[in-house]
Amino acid sequence: MTGAADVIGPGALILVVGPSGAGKDTLIDAARARLEGHPRIRFARRLVTRPAGAGEAHGTLSPEEFAALRPRFALSWDAHGLSYALGEEVAQWLLSGETVIANGSRATLPLARARFSRLLVVHVTAPPEIRARRLAARGREAEGDILERLSRAPALDTVPDMEIENVGTPEDGGRRLADFIARVTA
């Protein structure tokens, strides 16, 4: 594993970011299906201090396990009262020159920019009414928590490499994301 001061590359890390309920995981899943079997593309599985739930397949760690492993993660951050990470395998894939796609956080972009030699940002958005329906359908949060998530709108500190307004079908958005990933990897 690389040390904290090392810049990780030469592979590209594509962080898919955007507000809760924009459909990031859905688009990542659709892109994964389209790119299945590509030898140089990897989809990272996030580690989260939350049990698995609807709409997100992630690895689950207790807060104690997370804290013990945090120095080994390629990237980690805290949001919504939880801790999130990309595992150390992400660094290994990037060191091997592979392209890695991950659901990330807008707040962690400055750290990611310093940590990875080739970072690309895909910003996924959707109108608030669509996001509200999606968040309610997940069944993970109470109405007040959903309203709080909808009220947050942290700005990106950079111009994204791709913007997807996720209002069409998952297949349409997933195709756009997959095409972008294929271009980056070519």
Side-chain angles (χ1 to χ4, degrees):
M1 182 67 206
T2 60
D6 296 336
V7 176
I8 303 170
L13 175 62
I14 300 173
L15 281 181
V16 180
V17 301
S20 296
K24 300 176 296 289
D25 284 314
T26 299
L27 297 186
I28 290 170
D29 289 345
R32 179 186 295 116
R34 293 181 72 87
L35 297 167
E36 188 174 351
H38 192 292
R40 294 183 45 229
I41 296 174
R42 301 282 190 140
F43 288 84
R45 185 170 163 219
R46 285 195 307 184
L47 301 168
V48 185
T49 56
R50 170 184 62 224
E56 181 183 19
H58 64 268
T60 300
L61 295 171
S62 71
E64 297 77 21
E65 292 168 320
F66 194 97
L69 292 170
R70 193 170 213 147
R72 297 174 57 184
F73 296 142
L75 184 67
S76 64
W77 64 97
D78 298 305
H80 316 299
L82 302 169
S83 296
Y84 299 80
L86 302 181
E88 61 187 319
E89 71 279 359
V90 169
Q92 296 307 315
W93 294 336
L94 292 169
L95 289 167
S96 297
E98 297 180 58
T99 299
V100 179
I101 299 82
N103 183 337
S105 168
R106 291 167 287 184
T108 196
L109 290 175
L111 175 61
R113 196 173 297 106
R115 186 92 172 109
F116 303 100
S117 66
R118 191 167 173 221
L119 175 69
L120 296 116
V121 177
V122 175
H123 187 223
V124 179
T125 63
E129 62 276 7
I130 291 175
R131 293 176 43 227
R133 283 195 309 270
R134 291 174 181 164
L135 289 169
R138 292 192 316 199
R140 290 197 308 233
E141 297 147 320
E143 184 178 350
D145 295 329
I146 291 172
L147 292 174
E148 193 272 327
R149 279 187 184 248
L150 291 172
S151 71
R152 275 185 293 197
L156 287 177
D157 71 345
T158 186
V159 175
D161 298 282
M162 176 179 211
E163 183 103 27
I164 299 174
E165 185 177 22
N166 189 18
V167 295
T169 67
E171 294 77 20
D172 290 340
R175 178 190 44 76
R176 289 187 61 209
L177 179 57
D179 290 349
F180 175 76
I181 294 165
R183 284 192 305 273
V184 167
T185 306

